[in-house]
Amino acid sequence: MMNYQRFFEEAIDQLHAERRYRIFADLERIAGAFPRAIWRANGEAREITVWCSNDYLGMGQHPDVIAAQQQAAGRMGSGAGGTRNISGTNHPLVELELELADLHGKDSALVFTSGFVSNEAAISTIARLMPYCLVLSDELNHASMIEGVRRSGAEKKVFRHNDVAHLESLLQAAGRERAKLIVFESVYSMDGDVAPIEKIADLAEKYNAMTYIDEVHAVGMYGARGGGITEREGLAHRIDVIEGTLAKAFGTLGGYITGPRAVVDAVRSYAPGFIFTTALPPAIAAAATASIRHLKQSNIEREQHQRQAQRTKDVLSAAGLPVMPSSTHIVPVLVGDPELCKMASDRLLGVHGIYIQPINYPTVPRGSERLRITPTPFHDDRLIDDLQDALVETWDALGIPYAGTRRPAQHRTDRIIPLVVPASGG
């Protein structure tokens, strides 16, 4: 008889062999005490500090956001009741889409259940509806964008990361008359670099191409009202479709697109990933609207966030740690080995009570394994100093290379602490 389970066991064994098997830490966030959380492992519970959350501004614990969610749930219940086609659109979703269209200065917006779904559904539908469409995709685009391109069935060309000369050569070869869709991100979340948006917009106009930008790691974070890098650089009006998420800086759940009314309506009408998916619950929509409205009016979160992100980079770099170049709030620290990366993550959690998830292949290329640190306004100076000490102890204990040829003299190996607390997995 066929042993079906064997196929899956072998697949998992392969991940273990490549040091790519992922362990999920059992964490319970503490509202009002972010970035503190309860970590549960081996029957024990311990309070730790989270240093890799995508709740970049801590809006998931903002009193206005929590109150909006509680009030909406009290009035309308916990669920949406079905797809929007079957159950109608709950009113908080209508308000949310109006708020999002206004945020990006677009005609219309459409909300999905996640950022992954919004990219997959929108890109695949837009490219599929344009006859003989050529999709030009940055080589470091997120998996959701790659999946959207694949599902479209359209021909694709991948241009080198942020390489406008390579992009232009592909556009030129395609010709002005062919339908073309350029898909790229504003902030690339693993390296923290920013796309040359203005130059890409120039090329799109020159060669008659449509543009689609993923701003998930920038919305709420940049721009006078949190509209992302396109708002900060005054370029939102030059990009056809702006996609974003509600699950990072806005602190809730869901993804969305904004753009011309006809484009958004076509996605609404043709995308299976939208049509056949239950809508966001009204309570989540209300919470997201409250978060967006707050960040449109308040810059203090963005200002404090940028300060703490820069201080984290400065403090870790001063300690000789290999902080990778980043022009945004992402602070990647290079390890360069998958096993050491996992060991470093386990040690930080088990010894120091600091949670930073290891980033290994295929999320990043082999040899560039890293710890991806995301400071927030709530990571104060003391927590940053504690992080530096913990990373230095971990680097010394595991023999991970520092940024230069020599480790700074003030860091001694006799400070190494034995690993006695069970880690979260192997």
Side-chain angles (χ1 to χ4, degrees), residues 34-35 49-52 308 312 374-381 383-384:
F34 182 78
T49 302
V50 177
W51 270 98
C52 56
Q308 296 312 101
T312 302
T374 54
T376 74
F378 298 93
H379 288 89
D380 59 26
D381 291 356
L383 287 179
I384 294 172

Side-chain angles (χ1 to χ4, degrees), residues 186-300:
S186 61
V187 173
Y188 288 84
S189 63
M190 289 301 123
D191 293 321
D193 58 336
V194 176
I197 302 173
E198 184 173 18
K199 292 179 180 179
I200 291 176
D202 290 342
L203 290 178
E205 292 174 7
K206 180 177 180 180
Y207 293 99
N208 191 30
M210 187 175 176
T211 48
Y212 180 108
I213 193 169
D214 175 317
E215 285 253 48
V216 297
H217 291 278
V219 291
M221 311 284 291
Y222 301 95
R225 301 195 309 156
I229 301 293
T230 50
E231 183 194 20
R232 185 187 73 178
E233 299 183 2
L235 297 170
H237 65 289
R238 299 187 62 191
I239 302 297
D240 293 300
V241 178
I242 297 176
E243 185 265 353
T245 186
L246 306 168
K248 293 182 170 62
F250 294 128
T252 58
L253 179 71
Y256 65 88
I257 61 168
T258 65
R261 193 172 307 280
V263 174
V264 174
D265 196 22
V267 173
R268 181 189 70 87
S269 302
Y270 282 90
F274 173 81
I275 296 169
F276 300 106
T277 300
T278 297
L280 277 188
I284 293 177
T289 299
S291 182
I292 295 165
R293 286 175 178 169
H294 175 84
L295 291 174
K296 281 181 177 179
Q297 302 297 323
S298 173
N299 270 312
I300 189 169

Side-chain angles (χ1 to χ4, degrees), residues 327-402:
S327 60
T328 60
H329 57 283
I330 308 295
V331 185
V333 181
L334 180 67
V335 177
D337 177 90
E339 190 164 356
L340 281 176
C341 200
K342 180 66 172 65
M343 291 170 65
S345 176
D346 285 346
R347 186 173 189 86
L348 286 166
L349 185 57
V351 172
H352 300 285
I354 288 175
Y355 176 64
I356 307 174
Q357 179 69 7
I359 306 296
N360 291 339
Y361 177 85
T363 306
V364 295
R366 297 183 193 276
S368 68
E369 293 83 4
R370 67 198 66 176
L371 299 178
R372 176 182 176 272
I373 298 167
T374 54
T376 74
F378 298 93
H379 288 89
D380 59 26
D381 291 356
R382 180 186 59 80
L383 287 179
I384 294 172
D385 293 340
D386 290 345
L387 174 66
Q388 175 201 326
D389 292 342
L391 286 170
V392 166
E393 192 279 337
T394 299
W395 251 241
D396 289 341
L398 300 179
I400 302 173
Y402 280 76

Side-chain angles (χ1 to χ4, degrees), residues 56 97 139 144 412:
Y56 292 134
E97 288 176 342
E139 67 176 336
S144 59
R412 310 191 316 268

Side-chain angles (χ1 to χ4, degrees), residues 104-122:
H104 295 292
K106 299 298 184 184
D107 297 336
S108 188
L110 189 67
V111 169
F112 298 78
T113 51
S114 75
F116 191 104
V117 174
S118 59
N119 269 335
E120 180 187 62

